[in-house]
């Protein structure tokens, strides 16, 4: 099993669910996490080794790095061992853009000043000023998170993506999340139960995105569309090498286990609004002015072992990071 792992958590792609998986695996095996002093590594500034709590040059490497950062390989390499497995996740900008507009409405001036996503896309130049703090959320957000150059000459994009694939031999695809979990588990040589997850940071029912909005979002986020298209192709090449029939069988098993665990653990069998969660440690962060983020309430009467398993699966990213920090560095309730 691989125990040195770097996950680049991109925004609004399903990365919080992956962080939960990595947190549970690492915690259960007493692996050492590279943790931010707060909840992100100085984002949106590029990652620096000094942003990691407990980092000392030559002071020993960490096992898992998985919280929000803007990727910068030379600095990551100062923190993580040379044999680390790097992976990330991407999502079609045609749907990510709608999610980002809802979630980052208060953080991005371009979104804040626009009455609606439709109005923004009808005339983005009215609202968008490049370089204004927070506006990286409004255009090519995944390209930004990967630390790639912008602006960039179009003829250089294929080589940039080819070089990136050498760093990230596996990039998950949000639209095929369970298939992604199968490929990830096999690349890491981890056991079946390591990819048991509940979907974190989901929103209540959204209206969806019309085909014309999808097209405009892809055009506005053209670098993200290039990035997504490249890694979508590489993902399906790896899926074919793995065996599509085998992949389908393992996906069915993941879904069967998730359904069983949701019935065993969760009140209502799935996500609920934050105000319906009595345990404050299980309430997800709600972005100011953004869409309502759902979380999980545990069933009453769970035995101690089940309560621990279910509680870890249901725990949002921020309180889980606090828990890992207490376990690693001591402190209250360590």
């Amino acid at each position: 099993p691989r125990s040195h792992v770097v996950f680049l958590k991109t925004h609004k792609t399903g990365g919080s669910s992956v962080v939960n998986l990595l947190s549970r695996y690492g915690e259960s095996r007493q692996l050492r996490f590279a943790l931010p002093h707060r909840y992100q590594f100085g984002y949106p500034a590029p990652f620096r080794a000094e942003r990691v709590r407990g980092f000392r040059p030559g002071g020993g490497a960490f096992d898992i790095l998985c919280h929000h950062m803007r990727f910068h390989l030379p600095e990551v390499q100062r923190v993580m061992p040379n044999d680390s497995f790097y992976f990330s996740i991407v999502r079609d900008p045609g749907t990510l853009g709608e999610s980002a507009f809802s979630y980052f409405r208060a953080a991005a001036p371009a979104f804040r000043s626009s009455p609606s996503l439709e109005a923004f896309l009808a005339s983005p130049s009215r609202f968008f000023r490049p370089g204004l703090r927070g506006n990286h959320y409004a255009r090519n957000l995944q390209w930004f998170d990967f630390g790639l150059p912008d602006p960039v000459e179009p003829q250089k994009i294929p080589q940039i993506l080819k070089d990136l694939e050498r760093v990230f031999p596996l990039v998950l695809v949000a639209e095929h999340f369970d298939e992604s979990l199968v490929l990830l588990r096999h690349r890491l040589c981890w056991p079946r139960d390591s990819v048991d997850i509940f979907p974190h940071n989901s929103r209540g029912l959204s209206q969806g995105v019309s085909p014309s909005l999808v097209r405009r979002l892809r055009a506005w986020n053209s670098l993200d569309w290039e990035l997504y298209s490249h890694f979508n192709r590489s993902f399906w090449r790896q899926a074919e090498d793995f065996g599509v029939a085998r992949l389908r069988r393992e996906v069915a098993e993941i879904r069967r286990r998730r359904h069983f665990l949701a019935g065993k653990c969760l009140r209502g069998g799935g996500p609920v609004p934050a105000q319906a969660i009595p345990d404050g440690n299980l309430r997800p962060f709600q972005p100011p002015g953004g869409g309502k983020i759902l979380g999980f309430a545990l069933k009453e009467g769970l035995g101690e072992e089940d309560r621990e398993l279910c509680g870890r699966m249901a725990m949002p990213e921020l309180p889980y990071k606090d828990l890992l920090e207490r376990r690693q560095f001591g402190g209250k309730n360590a």
Side-chain angles (χ1 to χ4, degrees), residues 57-94:
F62 295 84
D63 297 308
I64 295 178
L65 172 62
C66 62
H67 291 86
H68 269 311
M69 63 171 150
R70 187 176 186 209
F71 190 70
H72 184 47
L73 180 61
E75 288 291 305
V76 171
Q77 289 172 323
R78 292 178 64 203
V79 173
M80 297 300 293
N82 291 336
D83 65 348
S84 294
F85 181 79
Y86 287 68
F87 76 103
S88 187
I89 184 168
V90 292
R91 179 181 175 187
D92 185 338

Side-chain angles (χ1 to χ4, degrees), residues 7 9 19 23 32-55 62 64-70 79-80 317-326 328-329:
F7 172 55
K9 181 182 189 277
V19 169
S23 299
R32 194 165 177 237
F33 285 83
L35 296 171
H37 286 278
R38 298 195 68 191
Y39 296 109
Q40 301 182 349
F41 293 105
Y43 188 90
F47 179 85
R48 284 201 347 258
E50 285 75 15
R51 299 273 188 187
V52 175
R53 182 162 181 194
F55 170 77
F62 295 84
I64 295 178
L65 172 62
C66 62
H67 291 86
H68 269 311
M69 63 171 150
R70 187 176 186 209
V79 173
M80 297 300 293
E317 182 180 338
L318 305 191
Y320 210 146
K321 182 262 172 184
D322 292 339
L323 184 147
L324 293 172
E325 190 170 57
R326 289 195 300 273
Q328 200 161 301
F329 297 100

